Amino acid sequence: MPGSTDRKKNRLTAEERRAAIVEAAVRLFAEKGFRGTTTRELAAAVGVSEPVLYQHFATKGDLYTAIIEAICRHRDRDRDGLLELARHAEDDEAFFSRLAELILEWYDEQPEVVRLLLFSALEEHDLKDRFVETQVAMLYEILTEYLERRMDKGVFRRMDPYLAARAFTGMVSHQGMAKVVFGIDDLRGSRQEIARKIADIFVNGIRSHGAQGA
Amino acid sequence: MPGSTDRKKNRLTAEERRAAIVEAAVRLFAEKGFRGTTTRELAAAVGVSEPVLYQHFATKGDLYTAIIEAICRHRDRDRDGLLELARHAEDDEAFFSRLAELILEWYDEQPEVVRLLLFSALEEHDLKDRFVETQVAMLYEILTEYLERRMDKGVFRRMDPYLAARAFTGMVSHQGMAKVVFGIDDLRGSRQEIARKIADIFVNGIRSHGAQGA
DNA sequence: TTGCTAACCTAGTGACCGCTAGGTTAGTGA
DNA sequence: TCACTAACCTAGCGGTCACTAGGTTAGCAA
């Protein structure tokens, strides 16, 4: 049986090699974009020759598609946790603070996915649409649902829930984008503290004037 | 004297041709990025042959630098108007609403500059640093100054002015980014109305709880 | 009308791109 | 030990890239 857990081999099984290629491709495409990455340097990063890439992926574009699939599959697992959080949330500050923290965490821990997504949007690849249709749509669904529920209770002021949702995600992800894309990281405090402060501004901004303060 | 206002000529003066090249380059680089744009299609877009490009710019990179200069010079003219706005502002809602409107206007009217900036940041070109050091720094200077002034007066709550400034610009520019980069434009209402609603959320979010409501 | 020159073009250059034909070898099962 | 095969490599294909040497011509001055 080829390719068990043996570490002495310098030949991998097809499955292992494929995974290694995808991993290196995510790193390189995130760093230099699709057009900016050559199959030569990709092969060098994996530690094999170019034809090995083409045994697993017919074209460079197919490799890009495979990466998209891998990322989307990985991110779909976050879905359930987020829905759970929204359903059982009772304290507004705590809910938005936790949500902000999760988003900031994403920027911190997966900057290569953020860059990949931006490259994809600018270069008009498919990841953009896949991402918007699944991840973004889910986040907005959760947010607008929560906001409308609290508006109905009179805790939040009546307003366009989509605008409010975008305002919130904007406050948070702009912070993440500044760090990942522009290298600006000048805010004091931990990720949790920053998330809490942003949530505080937002919740106070949409709360009915009669309701209790922070 | 060559190259006056005559429209029948199909030969331009060096100055006119140079300007035409820069104009076409801004459009193409914004659409497809630096790496994604070839000198062939650039020449075709201008309506000349490739060597003409190289009579004005020694390399493709030099042309990119020239574009950066042109954009930065153009945007520096907005500086005075913004400073004026901040100094004489009395009504908080009006100030932040106007500021939001100006930022949204920028995304609407110069989407190619936005894309150029993002490409530049991802591809690690110079426009990123030039932009951050001038435009972004100026905007944050104006915002933090205004915020600290209002905090001193007790109208706004005490908080990190940089975090508040980033939260505000985030709310606004995330909306612009969604439209320009991801093609999402689902909010109802005019640009002015959206700006007003965003400013409303922000000002209520940072105002002292004893102060007057909207 | 003609001569001059700045603006332009044709026709390439070497380098590197994505991709492939065909040969080599490491690791396994018998 | 040896044969088999899946995993690998060397060498190079046609095409396109950024860039250029050297010739052509439009448009102005006289």
Side-chain angles (χ1 to χ4, degrees):
Chain A
M1 181 189 187
S4 52
T5 50
D6 193 356
R7 291 295 97 194
K8 286 283 164 63
K9 290 188 295 90
N10 42 9
R11 290 197 173 190
L12 304 183
T13 63
E15 199 179 349
E16 288 171 333
R17 184 58 75 200
R18 190 188 157 97
I21 293 172
V22 167
E23 190 189 12
V26 166
R27 211 174 57 245
L28 282 178
F29 284 156
E31 191 184 324
K32 319 169 130 211
F34 180 75
R35 287 200 186 94
T37 303
T38 69
T39 52
R40 290 212 209 301
E41 59 186 342
L42 186 49
V46 179
V48 294
S49 61
E50 286 184 89
V52 173
L53 305 183
Y54 289 93
Q55 280 172 4
H56 296 277
F57 307 95
T59 67
K60 193 184 169 190
D62 283 0
L63 175 52
Y64 198 88
T65 305
I67 286 177
I68 294 170
E69 296 296 330
I71 288 175
C72 286
R73 227 179 300 120
H74 184 265
R75 285 202 39 87
D76 275 341
R77 288 185 293 171
D78 301 343
R79 188 195 173 89
D80 297 338
L82 272 180
L83 281 169
E84 194 80 2
L85 180 67
R87 304 275 185 222
H88 296 81
E90 293 180 356
D91 181 83
D92 294 322
E93 266 91 354
F95 170 62
F96 286 106
S97 180
R98 180 75 189 125
L99 202 53
E101 206 182 331
L102 284 173
I103 295 173
L104 288 178
E105 202 176 288
W106 181 61
Y107 280 96
D108 276 346
E109 294 180 359
Q110 304 202 306
E112 69 281 358
V113 175
V114 176
R115 289 179 59 93
L116 214 46
L117 176 60
L118 271 177
F119 263 121
S120 183
L122 289 174
E123 291 180 337
E124 294 293 338
H125 283 294
D126 292 335
L127 178 55
K128 182 190 83 171
D129 299 322
R130 280 287 303 266
F131 189 85
V132 170
E133 284 166 16
T134 59
Q135 313 301 325
V136 175
M138 177 189 68
L139 181 60
Y140 276 68
E141 198 183 310
I142 290 172
L143 272 170
T144 53
E145 197 176 293
Y146 186 93
L147 287 165
E148 280 176 328
R149 205 168 73 220
R150 300 294 281 168
M151 286 181 202
D152 289 341
K153 288 201 178 180
V155 181
F156 291 162
R157 292 182 285 146
R158 273 275 156 229
M159 59 178 69
D160 182 354
Y162 286 96
L163 186 137
R166 182 152 308 146
F168 176 72
T169 56
M171 285 198 289
V172 184
S173 66
H174 189 65
Q175 169 62 24
M177 204 79 92
K179 191 191 279 190
V180 173
V181 180
F182 291 97
I184 305 173
D185 187 21
D186 53 0
L187 292 191
R188 285 160 296 188
S190 67
R191 187 165 64 210
Q192 194 178 354
E193 281 168 1
I194 293 173
R196 198 188 52 73
K197 288 173 183 172
I198 291 176
D200 174 62
I201 292 177
F202 180 69
V203 172
N204 275 288
I206 61 174
R207 190 136 54 191
S208 296
H209 294 120
Q212 79 283 3
Chain B
M1 180 190 187
S4 52
T5 50
D6 193 356
R7 290 296 96 195
K8 285 283 165 63
K9 288 189 296 90
N10 40 9
R11 291 196 173 192
L12 304 183
T13 63
E15 199 180 349
E16 287 172 333
R17 185 58 77 198
R18 189 188 158 96
I21 293 171
V22 167
E23 190 189 13
V26 166
R27 212 174 57 245
L28 282 178
F29 284 156
E31 191 183 325
K32 317 168 139 220
F34 180 75
R35 287 200 185 94
T37 303
T38 69
T39 51
R40 289 207 211 304
E41 59 188 341
L42 187 48
V46 179
V48 295
S49 61
E50 286 185 89
V52 173
L53 306 183
Y54 290 93
Q55 280 173 4
H56 295 277
F57 307 94
T59 67
K60 195 183 168 191
D62 283 0
L63 174 52
Y64 197 88
T65 304
I67 287 177
I68 295 172
E69 296 296 330
I71 288 175
C72 285
R73 225 178 302 121
H74 184 265
R75 282 200 44 84
D76 275 340
R77 288 185 295 170
D78 300 342
R79 188 194 173 90
D80 296 338
L82 273 181
L83 281 170
E84 192 82 1
L85 181 66
R87 306 273 183 221
H88 296 80
E90 293 180 357
D91 182 82
D92 294 321
E93 267 92 354
F95 171 62
F96 286 105
S97 180
R98 180 72 190 128
L99 201 53
E101 206 182 332
L102 284 173
I103 295 173
L104 288 177
E105 202 175 287
W106 180 62
Y107 280 95
D108 277 346
E109 294 181 358
Q110 304 202 303
E112 69 281 357
V113 175
V114 176
R115 290 179 59 93
L116 214 46
L117 177 60
L118 271 177
F119 264 121
S120 182
L122 290 174
E123 291 179 337
E124 295 294 338
H125 283 294
D126 291 335
L127 178 56
K128 182 190 83 171
D129 298 321
R130 280 288 302 264
F131 189 85
V132 169
E133 284 166 16
T134 59
Q135 313 302 324
V136 175
M138 176 188 67
L139 181 60
Y140 277 67
E141 198 183 311
I142 290 172
L143 272 170
T144 53
E145 195 175 296
Y146 186 93
L147 288 165
E148 280 176 330
R149 204 169 73 219
R150 299 297 279 171
M151 286 182 203
D152 289 342
K153 287 202 179 179
V155 182
F156 291 162
R157 293 183 284 145
R158 273 277 157 225
M159 60 176 68
D160 182 355
Y162 286 95
L163 187 137
R166 181 152 310 146
F168 176 73
T169 55
M171 286 198 289
V172 183
S173 66
H174 189 64
Q175 168 62 25
M177 203 80 90
K179 190 191 280 190
V180 173
V181 179
F182 292 96
I184 305 172
D185 187 21
D186 52 1
L187 293 190
R188 286 160 297 188
S190 67
R191 188 165 63 207
Q192 193 178 355
E193 279 168 1
I194 293 173
R196 200 188 50 73
K197 288 173 183 173
I198 290 176
D200 175 62
I201 292 177
F202 180 69
V203 172
N204 276 286
I206 60 174
R207 188 135 55 191
S208 297
H209 294 118
Q212 80 283 2

